[in-house]
Amino acid sequence: MNQTSPAAATPPEFAADGPLVIVLNAGSGRSDADDTQRTISGILDAAGRPHEVLRIERGMDVAQVAAEAVRRAQGRQGAVVAAGGDGTLNAVAQAVLPAGLPFGVLPQGTFNYFSRTHGITSDTEQATRALLRARPAPVQVGQVNERLFLVNASVGLYPQLLQDREAYKQRYGRSRLVALWSALVTLLHAHRPLRLQLECQGRQQSVRTSTLFVGNNGLQLQQIGVPEAGLLAQGQLVALVLRPVGTLGMLGLMMRGAFGRLGEAEDVLRFGFERLAMRPAAPRRTARVKVATDGEICWLRAPLNFRVSPQPLWLLTPMPQDRVEPA
């Protein structure tokens, strides 16, 4: 579990019967949003727990809804809860982190890496009951140019894979098979390698790469076979730099990752760090760069500075009897 030492930060004010402000993404997952909301509200009403649900409908600004949830929760010894996939969790956590509020999760996505890492079930009914007993614990998060990420951040081919995957999901539905098929289609198209300047711990290095991937999730890193996953527990992030390879070589790396053997590949440079600076090689040293954070695409101006956030996220963590082991 990516947790910060409790001595490193002051816990937020939180009452066991404090209100929960729930941000529900009506487009996440496969279940009907109305049914999901009824399930959540029914359990909280039966327990006498004050709460309100702010829904994110198509076309709404997630950041604005998250900011409103924070405003309503502040000063009430309550918490903000994100009900959605990893992208929704990221957007809500982005607003919660600087406010120092407790952050709850009701996973509704496809992969749910963040929630699974912390023992939170994907069953909405069980997760809501567990939320009633959960208590805040500090959890490590990453930042790139002050933009938060819970699971990973990346530049290069990986953001393009994610962008294409989302387009396929909107057309064919959300499933792991659709995600795999979209990735194969993307890899069949040629992509120009990136020339980057990296600076870490006072050392500079020029690299050519198809993807720079920064991980903050032990479960994901372990599943693809990255032995440095244990560095997360030491307060570091883990970088993967994929050397340029052809389509067949990239497919081979994907297969290694799928079978948990990516760490054996010679074409992958791996290292842990607390701070990493990245910029495109000259002449475009201050160019805008496409970045993916927890599956959401944004554009940030170089240089990109990856680091462990000095402030932990106070996650409402399940009690031992409510925890589930990640599948």
Side-chain angles (χ1 to χ4, degrees):
M1 181 183 299
N2 308 1
Q3 288 198 340
T4 303
S5 168
T10 302
E13 292 186 1
F14 177 71
D17 58 351
L20 302 176
V21 183
I22 301 164
V23 179
L24 171 63
N25 188 343
S28 291
R30 306 175 197 173
S31 61
D32 182 85
D34 293 333
D35 290 341
T36 300
Q37 183 171 343
R38 279 192 292 268
T39 298
I40 295 170
S41 293
I43 293 171
L44 297 181
D45 285 338
R49 188 68 173 267
H51 70 281
E52 55 184 316
V53 178
L54 306 183
R55 287 175 55 134
I56 302 171
E57 304 289 355
R58 183 181 299 275
M60 294 179 64
D61 188 320
V62 180
Q64 288 185 1
V65 177
E68 176 62 19
V70 166
R71 188 188 68 78
R72 297 190 187 192
Q74 282 179 319
R76 300 172 62 191
Q77 295 187 314
V80 175
V81 179
D86 284 331
T88 303
L89 270 55
N90 176 291
V92 178
Q94 186 79 37
V96 169
L97 181 69
L101 292 170
F103 175 67
V105 171
L106 295 173
Q108 305 289 312
T110 303
F111 294 97
N112 298 320
Y113 277 118
F114 180 75
S115 58
R116 290 162 60 203
T117 294
H118 297 287
I120 301 172
T121 177
S122 59
D123 182 277
T124 300
E125 180 177 348
Q126 294 178 22
T128 306
R129 296 189 189 282
L131 189 63
L132 289 167
R133 295 180 286 269
R135 295 295 178 267
V139 170
Q140 173 179 298
V141 296
Q143 289 180 321
V144 50
N145 287 18
E146 308 308 319
R147 185 178 178 89
L148 171 152
F149 58 94
L150 304 173
V151 179
N152 60 57
S154 59
V155 299
L157 180 58
Y158 191 67
Q160 188 62 49
L161 287 170
L162 295 175
Q163 195 170 29
D164 293 346
R165 185 182 75 185
E166 189 60 30
Y168 269 71
K169 283 182 176 181
Q170 290 180 5
R171 185 173 181 179
Y172 300 110
R174 294 180 177 272
S175 73
R176 300 191 183 195
L177 183 60
V178 170
L180 177 60
W181 176 251
S182 70
L184 293 175
V185 173
T186 302
L187 292 178
L188 292 176
H189 295 81
H191 295 276
R192 181 180 301 176
L194 302 174
R195 294 178 59 243
L196 305 177
Q197 293 282 345
L198 303 182
E199 181 177 348
C200 183
Q201 297 180 333
R203 299 178 58 186
Q204 295 190 10
Q205 181 178 3
S206 298
V207 298
R208 292 178 70 249
T209 179
S210 59
T211 293
L212 168 63
F213 177 96
V214 177
N216 184 50
N217 185 271
L219 175 62
Q220 185 180 53
L221 293 175
Q222 290 165 9
Q223 284 188 344
I224 62 177
V226 177
E228 287 79 6
L231 295 177
L232 299 176
Q234 302 176 29
Q236 298 187 48
L237 302 172
V238 176
L240 306 179
V241 181
L242 277 59
R243 296 187 175 94
V245 295
T247 299
L248 290 179
M250 186 60 68
L251 288 173
L253 291 177
M254 283 186 61
M255 293 301 295
R256 284 181 179 270
F259 287 98
R261 298 175 55 190
L262 189 62
E264 303 173 7
E266 296 181 354
D267 293 316
V268 181
L269 172 65
R270 316 179 313 270
F271 57 93
F273 68 91
E274 294 181 9
R275 289 177 177 269
L276 172 69
M278 182 232 87
R279 68 168 72 242
R284 302 182 62 206
R285 299 172 64 87
T286 59
R288 293 173 71 240
V289 180
K290 182 189 291 186
V291 182
T293 55
D294 296 339
E296 300 298 313
I297 306 299
C298 64
W299 289 86
L300 300 177
R301 188 166 296 280
L304 301 184
N305 292 290
F306 299 87
R307 66 170 183 168
V308 175
S309 170
Q311 181 179 0
L313 183 67
W314 288 93
L315 177 68
L316 289 178
T317 305
M319 301 295 284
Q321 66 269 28
D322 295 321
R323 288 183 55 85
V324 296
E325 293 300 319

